[in-house]
Amino acid sequence: MGEQDPAISRAFVEASVPAAYDRFMRPQLFEPWASALIAAAELGLGLRVLDVASGTGVVAHAAADMVGPSGAVTASDISAAMLDVNRSRAGREGAAPMEFVECSATSLPFPTANFDAVLCQHSLQFIPDRVAAVSEMRRVLVSAGVAAVSVWVKGSPHGLFSPVVETLAAAGLPEPFPDAYLWSTHCMSEAELRHTFLSAGFATVSIDTRSITAVWPDSATATAAVQGMPYGPLVASLPKEQRQAILDEIAARLGHEADGSVRCETSALVAVSRG
């Protein structure tokens, strides 16, 4: 999850969040995005990979499958609770050995030029000092290594997130952390992302805009994903009737297909820098 304002960090590391994140958001949203990020990085067998702000390990475990037993994957995150879920999925046959390290994204406890690839999925936007985080990614990369980062893009659809923050703000609920309902602060423009990479010392960076449609089987499953967001503990703390009214409003904003499924378009920037 990266190094955040302490209030944001507390929202992400609440013990109730990781399991719901893994159940209601990983297969529907973050596994497809992980595939896109890993494809952009062009990982191969035998590589040493670091997944920064790994969360429950969607990218890390997909990378472990790609680099195989001759490679190695390290998953780092500021949240011990997230890493516990991450660690529980390790050890699949044919996958790379994995290490799990609790640390800040802006102070990685690894030697210089230690990894062939560094990945970071949809977390950089939550880190106040983004240049410091990307500088650390560059530092731990070998000279011919690849860095691949995805972030939500400003001015584009963001699936569940916009309806959630709009509903909570309209209900007058207190923000769980500063600017929690100002969704634009959790996104980046192409210019901002490019500036971050170049300011961190990367000579060049290529940036593409990608879109993926996330699908939940029904409204109840889609709105349950709120439990896996940093807003989850706030919603869970509400009285039962108020909590249900909030979930019903989120469902109404999301809408649904004729078969009852909920489909949400999401758009992100994928930045890649090599060598």
Side-chain angles (χ1 to χ4, degrees):
M1 308 311 302
E3 181 174 293
Q4 306 149 341
D5 177 277
I8 302 178
S9 296
R10 285 193 296 273
F12 273 112
V13 303
E14 285 275 353
S16 61
V17 171
Y21 175 99
D22 213 43
R23 179 179 177 186
F24 298 113
M25 298 175 72
R26 175 177 59 84
Q28 300 89 345
L29 185 60
F30 290 112
E31 283 183 352
W33 276 115
S35 296
L37 186 65
I38 286 174
E42 298 180 349
L43 299 183
L45 293 174
L47 296 184
R48 297 163 298 166
V49 179
L50 171 64
D51 181 27
V52 175
S54 185
T56 63
V58 184
V59 168
H61 291 276
D65 290 337
M66 289 295 295
V67 303
S70 61
V73 173
T74 299
S76 71
D77 200 277
I78 198 171
S79 167
M82 286 284 188
L83 286 176
D84 284 343
V85 177
N86 197 331
R87 188 180 292 107
S88 70
R89 195 176 293 117
R92 295 193 306 280
E93 185 176 355
M98 300 185 69
E99 181 182 10
F100 304 90
V101 179
E102 183 181 346
C103 67
S104 162
T106 57
S107 183
L108 299 173
F110 309 113
T112 297
N114 195 58
F115 298 98
D116 302 301
V118 177
L119 310 174
C120 182
Q121 177 176 258
H122 291 108
S123 294
L124 181 64
Q125 67 265 22
F126 290 111
I127 302 173
D129 195 341
R130 296 163 177 170
V131 173
V134 178
S135 296
E136 277 291 86
M137 295 179 201
R138 180 175 178 271
R139 180 185 66 79
V140 300
L141 270 178
V142 299
S143 59
V146 57
V149 172
S150 60
V151 299
W152 300 123
V153 59
K154 283 186 176 177
S156 294
H158 300 113
L160 288 173
F161 302 108
S162 295
V164 168
V165 298
E166 289 165 3
T167 299
L168 299 183
L173 298 178
E175 291 185 317
F177 52 86
D179 294 329
Y181 301 150
L182 186 60
W183 184 250
S184 62
T185 64
H186 311 315
C187 310
M188 296 179 71
S189 68
E190 181 175 344
E192 288 172 328
L193 186 55
R194 186 177 304 280
H195 175 75
T196 298
F197 265 76
L198 298 182
S199 297
F202 284 99
T204 61
V205 59
S206 63
I207 301 175
D208 294 321
T209 302
R210 312 278 183 93
S211 294
I212 288 176
T213 300
V215 182
W216 285 264
D218 50 54
S219 295
T221 306
T223 57
V226 175
Q227 301 170 40
M229 300 179 190
Y231 313 101
L234 169 66
V235 175
S237 70
L238 298 173
K240 183 178 178 179
E241 290 186 3
Q242 185 181 12
R243 181 171 64 250
Q244 189 58 53
I246 291 289
L247 295 177
D248 289 345
E249 177 59 24
I250 293 171
R253 289 176 184 263
L254 285 170
H256 57 78
E257 303 297 312
D259 64 358
S261 66
V262 174
R263 301 174 65 86
C264 296
E265 182 183 355
T266 62
S267 296
L269 299 171
V270 178
V272 178
S273 185
R274 302 182 188 279

